[in-house]
Amino acid sequence: VQLQAYGGGLVQPGGSLRLSCIVSGSIFSINDMGWYRQAPGKQRELVAGITSGGSTNYADAVKGRFTISRDNAKNTVYVQMTNLKPEDTAVYYCNADVRTVSEVAILRKYWGQGTEVTVSS
């Protein structure tokens, strides 16, 4: 199983970005998916999560500005980020809880490689 995240870049304060993360491999099913971020010198923190049924949760710092969504047919999770602030600067990582075809009974968490978001004027 591989997760490929993309969509990061440099954006001015107040701008928007949309991150995408595609899950590929011998997938039987995907449960929860999410986005985390890690700023320089800080611990990785949850940004937003979404269940297979579409229920979402957000970190207080991004509520009202970020929207997480998923396309189950494409095994893809997105996060639409608006009104970006300099404090949103971080490497953003996606993850997914996956059951593979060869091990259906086991639910494992997989991580993407990260995509960098820089908010600066």
Side-chain angles (χ1 to χ4, degrees):
V1 175
Q2 291 185 327
L3 278 68
Q4 179 69 45
Y6 59 95
L10 173 64
V11 63
Q12 292 186 340
S16 300
L17 279 176
R18 187 195 196 204
L19 306 183
S20 303
C21 175
I22 301 173
V23 185
S24 62
S26 299
I27 300 164
F28 178 79
S29 64
I30 302 175
N31 286 24
D32 295 351
M33 305 178 83
W35 289 94
Y36 283 68
R37 67 186 181 187
Q38 187 166 17
K42 295 187 176 181
Q43 289 188 329
R44 190 175 296 190
E45 62 178 7
L46 173 70
V47 174
I50 185 167
T51 68
S52 57
S55 297
T56 59
N57 64 289
Y58 296 92
D60 288 343
V62 307
K63 282 181 181 177
R65 300 188 297 121
F66 290 13
T67 302
I68 189 170
S69 62
R70 63 192 284 171
D71 185 333
N72 292 328
K74 296 181 178 179
N75 293 336
T76 302
V77 61
Y78 309 93
V79 61
Q80 177 69 47
M81 306 185 295
T82 63
N83 190 22
L84 282 160
K85 304 176 181 180
E87 51 264 42
D88 295 317
T89 295
V91 177
Y92 284 70
Y93 299 90
C94 57
N95 69 15
D97 295 335
V98 179
R99 299 183 189 275
T100 62
V101 171
S102 60
E103 294 182 313
V104 175
I106 299 175
L107 187 65
R108 286 197 175 94
K109 187 179 294 294
Y110 294 86
W111 290 86
Q113 85 290 358
T115 183
E116 189 166 2
V117 173
T118 302
V119 184
S120 175
S121 54

